[in-house]
Amino acid sequence: MSRAGQWFHPAEPSQDASVRLFMLPHAGSGAIIYRDWERLLPGDIAPQAVTLPGRHNRRDEMTYEDWDPLLDALHEAVLDDLDERPFAFFGHCLGAQLAFRLTIRMERESGPSPVLVGMSGWSPEGFFQPTEEQSRMPEPEMVEWIKKLGSFPAEIYDNPEMLALVVPALRADLRVAAQYVDDGAGTACPLVSYGGRSDPLMESPDAMSHWAGRSPHYLGHSEYPGGHFYIDSHAEAVTTHFGQRLQRLVAASAR
């Protein structure tokens, strides 16, 4: 296994697939949010969920609490793991932030870059951004706060063992997200966005419409019933929509 293999699940992408998909999770989470995607995506797409340090099989590693070092490490891990095949990113919430900035960085360095990026549950404008102070709230307050925001799956809140695993990683990720500064940057890469119709983290009703100004190849927005975790209930619809667009782009680039 390569040094970057610990970042991805599965560590080795299917050799039968023609395109790879790196999937980045929301704050405090890991590969589990994408547990059904390998089954739902077409067989010619090889999905790999990203696991950041400090959770799941990387629980003994130190979490990143600063934006730049995390993006640096993620960038290195992806570059180390790439092969000759085209690839795409899909991210939810903090994962969307990371996928977007990773794409911009790869383009600026004139290296390999994705053929498509899926943005879910986050926009650079009109969307909730945590503060550093909020990342340091006492645990009872933090649990009530994230419960009110709907920023974590409901089954987590009443499970002390799950909370003990989630809260330290969540605190670190909130500190990372608090440092995000929108500089208005865009990407030449095609973007497609997804969201929940009643997402409480959307501070502006037109937040997701801002993606149209971040790529000359914006492929539109799909909205589904539900809140921030609409993606749990609509994984089949999202994977079908995203997979079809990814297949078309890969086919067009091969002509």
Side-chain angles (χ1 to χ4, degrees), residues 17-220:
S18 59
V19 58
R20 299 176 62 180
L21 172 60
F22 296 95
M23 306 174 301
L24 293 88
H26 60 87
S29 186
I32 192 169
I33 187 177
Y34 299 113
R35 58 190 174 274
D36 297 326
W37 281 44
E38 186 170 12
R39 173 178 59 83
L40 295 171
L41 285 163
D44 62 338
I45 298 175
Q48 289 177 282
V50 173
T51 299
L52 302 181
R55 62 216 79 195
H56 301 291
N57 62 307
R58 307 187 69 187
R59 200 169 296 128
D60 294 335
E61 298 179 49
M62 290 292 293
T63 54
Y64 284 93
E65 297 187 2
D66 294 292
W67 176 268
D68 288 336
L70 174 55
L71 191 67
D72 288 346
L74 181 60
H75 180 233
E76 181 180 355
V78 171
L79 288 180
D80 282 351
D81 208 63
L82 290 177
D83 51 30
E84 73 285 352
R85 288 176 287 183
F87 64 96
F89 295 141
F90 186 99
H92 182 70
C93 197
L94 174 64
Q97 284 184 329
L98 290 168
F100 180 55
R101 299 310 303 200
L102 185 56
T103 300
I104 291 170
R105 177 168 177 170
M106 295 177 98
E107 289 181 341
R108 286 176 176 173
E109 295 187 358
S110 301
S113 57
V115 294
L116 176 64
V117 181
M119 301 282 95
S120 172
W122 177 75
S123 169
E125 299 178 63
F127 222 83
F128 169 78
Q129 181 170 10
T131 65
E132 203 275 339
E133 290 76 18
Q134 286 168 327
S135 76
R136 301 189 184 278
M137 285 189 292
E139 185 166 316
E141 291 180 33
M142 174 168 280
V143 171
E144 287 304 311
W145 177 64
I146 61 177
K147 188 184 293 187
K148 181 180 178 182
L149 290 174
S151 57
F152 232 83
E155 63 267 20
I156 296 293
Y157 304 127
D158 299 319
N159 186 324
E161 292 182 358
M162 291 294 291
L163 282 174
L165 296 175
V166 164
V167 169
L170 178 61
R171 289 187 189 280
D173 288 349
L174 290 175
R175 288 173 201 146
V176 167
Q179 297 170 31
Y180 185 84
V181 177
D182 179 42
D183 56 2
T187 171
C189 178
L191 297 178
V192 59
S193 62
Y194 303 88
R197 197 163 292 140
S198 53
D199 189 339
L201 302 184
M202 208 179 305
E203 296 181 341
S204 170
D206 65 344
M208 299 303 281
S209 69
H210 293 293
W211 283 118
R214 299 305 175 107
S215 170
H217 306 292
Y218 181 57
L219 303 180

